[in-house]
Amino acid sequence: MGDNLIRININGHMSTEVAKLRGLKQGDPLSPILYNLAFEPFLLAILHDRQFHGYKMGTATTKLLCYADDALVFVHDAQDLSRLQLHISRYCAASNAKFNYDKVQAFSVSGRDTWEIWQVPLSHAHITHLHSVEDDEPLIYLGFPLVQSRIQRVNFMGALTTKIKTAIQIHSVRSLSVVGKATVLNSLLLSKLWYILRVTPLTQADFQQLRSLAIQFLRKNIFPVIPWKVWTLPKEKGGLGVVDIQIQASALHLRWLHPLLVQDQVTVDSHPVSYLLSFHLRNVNGYQYHQIPLLFPSARRNQGLKKQRTGTVDMPYRAVDYLPKSFDAARINPATALALPLQAAFYVPPSSTIVVPLRVKQMMVSDVFQYDARLNFVHWKDTHDPSLLQWKRAPPTVFRGLASGSLKFQPYFFPVCSPAPMVDSGVSFAPLVDQCRLHDGNLLKNATASAKKFRLSVLSSMEQPLVLQNVSDAHWKFFWSLSLTYIQRNVIYRFITGCIPSRGRLHYMMPTVFDSHNCPVCLSPHESASHLLFDCPSKEKVWQGVIFEFLWPTTTIIDIKEALLSLDFSDIWYSQVKGIRPYRILLITLSQIWLAHMRFVFDNTPLVPEAILVSVRSTVRQTVDEDNIHSLL
């Protein structure tokens, strides 16, 4: 401690050096280590106390959770609370610490208001309130809301959206491009959600509310608005890489879902949280295997909650439903087939009119099928089997449907209905899980639980919007690598994504505001995006002048339009001006036509083709000069 010296700043004057003989400086890395050493005996005393019961779920017993100086102790009954007070008093006496009861909060794990039961023991522990569903605000632990009622969720979401709205207002006053907005949204605004969404389930309405805030920020000064599905696509697919909030939430849950899928049995020692989730899934749904409600949406997915609410089990359901998968190529064994719900064994063809009985949702394959150990296959039980009577008319209806073709066996189930050599006899969902592949082709079981991989896999499996299918990944990468002005990039991107505010589209969207769909320049009927930028006589004259002055004379406006829509400029390769590529000339011309059109609409400035050509020449000359300067640097 001899080098632990400090100086005191008094009105700007530094004192002489003073040896710091007690305590540590702010940020000293030794501080958390010393804290752990000092606090560990208290924690170990509770963990090793056999008379302290804690919270039991399945074979897992949880007595406490601790993160730095935040300790969460699970108390089973009044005796546990008494034992906890004993350990606190012993630790304080041994360490000379003082317990601050003002910072202690008690809450009911079940959410029920049990204050009448706990009032006396909690009052003796100087605790005057038990948090439950009766409270309007959720209890916050380590920044996570412990939501126990609908009103608590509503109030929490209100505070969260207010926080995001405030941040949006701050950033909305900045002059940001569309790409800049996407970057700010990902890095500064939506990043406020990711910590909370790791363990907090939200309803569809909550996600819609958050998505609306993001869209409002992105769409400012943009009309017609670019669809959200386009915003969230990766840049190489024509999007802006905006993180989809709901997909990202499921991607963050992958760390809990991954062990549930890749391991047939999850143990307390290997994955404590996933084990608790596995037990909860089995307990809520009544299945022996937690994989059943995860892999088969048609299976019982009981939440025990009202429609307006959501719970913990909704998180893995949503995440696994997002994963791209097809079980057609899976090869399961008879033991696994018998463990499946009956609805997972067949499907209803589109042409079928059969009505599947409601009781089938409660039935398992083993209720109507039996295993032939000699030939190793499963077959329908005898129609006189007494075990079928409890299901009344459901089994005969399913049997007749399968026999007539009104119902079809799933491709992965059909092979187990035929004799086969014995391979293995244990229940294993690995063949089904192996059909869940990531975007890079790797099996889910061989990949790390990466949120980014999950998100990219989901986005790559979604159908690309039709307006973007003409542009390849390589051409999108080329486009984003170009050094363009805001207007040059904005106009062509709007044109490709179909978001040019042509009069025909504006009249369709808001007929009361735009009473005509005719072109405001030439009065041609039903102005389209193509007409606005290319086919209007005054714009066509500009393009003809650009072709004559800058490009190969045989180039047509149709060639230019196709090149811009596909971002493939390989057929337009010749430029009469040295030092500039032809695609730059096209982008410059497009932006100048756009500016001239907007000035005509908003400022009543006459749209003169010769004046637009002058602006094109000036911008081309300026671009060549700037490129020459950059090459000399």
Side-chain angles (χ1 to χ4, degrees):
M1 299 294 287
D3 295 334
N4 195 8
L5 305 175
I6 62 173
R7 291 186 179 186
I8 303 174
N9 187 336
I10 304 175
N11 296 330
H13 299 280
M14 303 298 294
S15 70
T16 58
E17 292 181 346
V18 179
K20 183 176 175 61
L21 302 179
R22 290 186 178 183
L24 298 168
K25 294 180 180 179
Q26 182 71 26
D28 193 317
L30 190 62
S31 179
I33 299 175
L34 293 177
Y35 177 81
N36 288 342
L37 292 175
F39 199 50
E40 190 75 4
F42 171 69
L43 305 178
L44 291 176
I46 298 175
L47 291 175
H48 294 163
D49 186 351
R50 295 185 178 180
Q51 298 182 45
F52 193 97
H53 299 93
Y55 179 75
K56 188 176 180 64
M57 188 174 184
T59 59
T61 300
T62 306
K63 295 184 178 181
L64 60 86
L65 301 173
C66 190
Y67 183 83
D69 60 345
D70 279 286
L72 178 62
V73 183
F74 292 88
V75 177
H76 179 72
D77 50 23
Q79 180 183 348
D80 272 4
L81 184 60
S82 177
R83 298 293 300 175
L84 175 61
Q85 289 179 277
L86 175 63
H87 290 303
I88 291 174
S89 60
R90 285 178 177 176
Y91 177 76
C92 291
S95 63
N96 200 29
K98 185 177 180 181
F99 194 77
N100 189 352
Y101 284 96
D102 294 335
K103 293 186 177 181
V104 176
Q105 296 187 76
F107 72 96
S108 170
V109 175
S110 66
R112 292 191 296 269
D113 184 9
T114 55
W115 175 247
E116 292 183 357
I117 300 175
W118 286 93
Q119 182 176 4
V120 174
L122 287 178
S123 299
H124 290 163
H126 311 287
I127 300 172
T128 59
H129 179 67
L130 178 66
H131 198 280
S132 68
V133 294
E134 301 300 324
D135 292 87
D136 293 336
E137 300 291 337
L139 184 68
I140 305 297
Y141 176 66
L142 296 179
F144 299 114
L146 305 182
V147 178
Q148 297 176 314
S149 68
R150 183 176 179 274
I151 189 64
Q152 290 179 10
R153 187 184 305 280
V154 170
N155 290 336
F156 169 75
M157 282 300 301
L160 180 62
T161 53
T162 299
K163 180 180 178 181
I164 296 177
K165 284 180 181 178
T166 302
I168 286 176
Q169 290 174 355
I170 294 173
H171 295 288
S172 293
V173 299
R174 301 178 179 178
S175 299
L176 297 172
S177 65
V178 178
V179 179
K181 287 181 180 179
T183 303
V184 168
L185 184 66
N186 282 342
S187 58
L188 300 179
L189 300 179
L190 295 183
S191 59
K192 301 178 184 295
L193 302 174
W194 306 148
Y195 177 76
I196 296 171
L197 292 181
R198 286 185 179 275
V199 297
T200 306
L202 299 183
T203 64
Q204 292 289 350
D206 294 335
F207 283 117
Q208 181 60 45
Q209 186 178 9
L210 295 172
R211 189 184 302 118
S212 297
L213 293 177
I215 293 174
Q216 290 172 19
F217 174 71
L218 290 170
R219 70 177 293 177
K220 186 177 180 182
N221 299 327
I222 298 178
F223 186 81
V225 66
I226 298 173
W228 176 254
K229 287 185 177 181
V230 175
W231 290 115
T232 55
L233 286 174
K235 281 191 171 183
E236 59 270 20
K237 298 293 183 181
L240 292 176
V242 174
V243 177
D244 186 286
I245 303 170
Q246 193 162 351
I247 294 178
Q248 176 67 1
S250 293
L252 295 172
H253 301 152
L254 182 63
R255 65 178 302 184
W256 321 119
L257 178 65
H258 191 263
L260 294 177
L261 291 177
V262 302
Q263 297 183 14
D264 285 329
Q265 297 293 332
V266 182
T267 63
V268 180
D269 297 331
S270 60
H271 298 281
V273 176
S274 294
Y275 168 79
L276 295 176
L277 191 55
S278 168
F279 180 85
H280 185 49
L281 284 168
R282 287 181 276 116
N283 188 49
V284 168
N285 294 283
Y287 289 117
Q288 183 180 356
Y289 304 97
H290 62 257
Q291 293 92 340
I292 291 177
L294 291 176
L295 296 174
F296 301 101
S298 60
R300 295 192 304 270
R301 282 187 171 182
N302 298 328
Q303 290 102 346
L305 299 172
K306 295 181 180 179
K307 187 177 180 181
Q308 295 86 352
R309 297 178 60 189
T310 188
T312 304
V313 293
D314 287 286
M315 299 191 298
Y317 289 162
R318 289 173 181 168
V320 76
D321 287 348
Y322 268 126
L323 276 174
K325 54 188 175 296
S326 174
F327 298 145
D328 290 354
R331 290 295 177 263
I332 59 176
N333 60 20
T336 307
L338 290 171
L340 296 179
L342 182 58
Q343 274 196 315
F346 63 84
Y347 66 95
V348 181
S351 59
S352 176
T353 58
I354 189 172
V355 178
V356 180
L358 292 177
R359 301 205 70 178
V360 172
K361 293 183 178 180
Q362 305 170 359
M363 300 171 66
M364 305 295 291
V365 170
S366 57
D367 290 326
V368 292
F369 282 86
Q370 63 186 19
Y371 175 61
D372 187 319
R374 185 174 62 88
L375 298 177
N376 188 36
F377 77 109
V378 298
H379 60 86
W380 196 268
K381 289 183 178 179
D382 187 273
T383 54
H384 301 292
D385 193 314
S387 64
L388 298 178
L389 297 178
Q390 61 174 318
W391 303 110
K392 298 183 179 179
R393 291 184 298 175
T397 302
V398 174
F399 179 77
R400 287 194 299 268
L402 292 171
S404 64
S406 299
L407 299 177
K408 297 284 188 181
F409 279 124
Q410 294 285 0
Y412 56 83
F413 189 87
F414 185 77
V416 301
C417 297
S418 301
M422 176 70 72
V423 179
D424 59 80
S425 58
V427 175
S428 175
F429 293 89
L432 297 167
V433 176
D434 286 347
Q435 305 308 309
C436 301
R437 294 181 179 272
L438 301 178
H439 72 288
D440 54 5
N442 288 328
L443 296 178
L444 181 66
K445 66 179 182 180
N446 297 333
T448 56
S450 167
K452 183 177 181 180
K453 287 183 179 180
F454 178 95
R455 193 172 65 249
L456 292 176
S457 300
V458 173
L459 291 174
S460 63
S461 66
M462 292 183 173
E463 186 177 356
Q464 192 177 12
L466 186 62
V467 294
L468 303 179
Q469 292 180 4
N470 292 329
V471 187
S472 67
D473 294 3
H475 290 137
W476 276 120
K477 291 179 181 179
F478 165 74
F479 172 71
W480 293 118
S481 68
L482 296 177
S483 178
L484 304 177
T485 65
Y486 169 75
I487 296 177
Q488 291 171 1
R489 193 182 301 276
N490 180 46
V491 179
I492 186 173
Y493 189 74
R494 280 171 172 263
F495 182 51
I496 294 173
T497 56
C499 294
I500 292 292
S502 60
R503 189 57 61 93
R505 181 169 185 178
L506 295 178
H507 175 71
Y508 174 78
M509 296 174 64
M510 297 182 294
T512 57
V513 179
F514 300 93
D515 55 357
S516 173
H517 53 66
N518 296 340
C519 173
V521 180
C522 68
L523 302 181
S524 295
H526 198 79
E527 180 197 46
S528 63
S530 180
H531 180 91
L532 187 152
L533 296 173
F534 298 94
D535 301 333
C536 184
S538 56
K539 284 59 173 290
E540 185 177 4
K541 190 174 181 180
V542 174
W543 285 111
Q544 293 293 354
V546 168
I547 292 171
F548 178 79
E549 186 172 346
F550 297 100
L551 305 176
W552 190 262
T554 58
T555 304
T556 65
I557 296 178
I558 295 178
D559 296 335
I560 294 174
K561 195 186 304 183
E562 291 178 352
L564 291 172
L565 282 174
S566 64
L567 294 177
D568 183 0
F569 303 99
S570 57
D571 292 335
I572 304 178
W573 51 270
Y574 180 75
S575 171
Q576 298 184 38
V577 180
K578 187 178 180 180
I580 188 170
R581 301 293 295 275
Y583 66 81
R584 297 288 297 274
I585 298 174
L586 299 183
L587 297 178
I588 290 171
T589 305
L590 195 68
S591 64
Q592 293 302 320
I593 289 176
W594 171 267
L595 283 173
H597 184 87
M598 291 299 111
R599 293 191 189 105
F600 174 80
V601 172
F602 293 103
D603 301 332
N604 293 321
T605 302
L607 201 154
V608 182
E610 290 76 11
I612 298 175
L613 283 170
V614 170
S615 298
V616 172
R617 293 189 194 102
S618 175
T619 307
V620 168
R621 191 181 309 112
Q622 179 183 349
T623 302
V624 172
D625 293 341
E626 289 176 353
D627 290 345
N628 289 335
I629 293 175
H630 289 158
S631 64
L632 296 175
L633 295 179

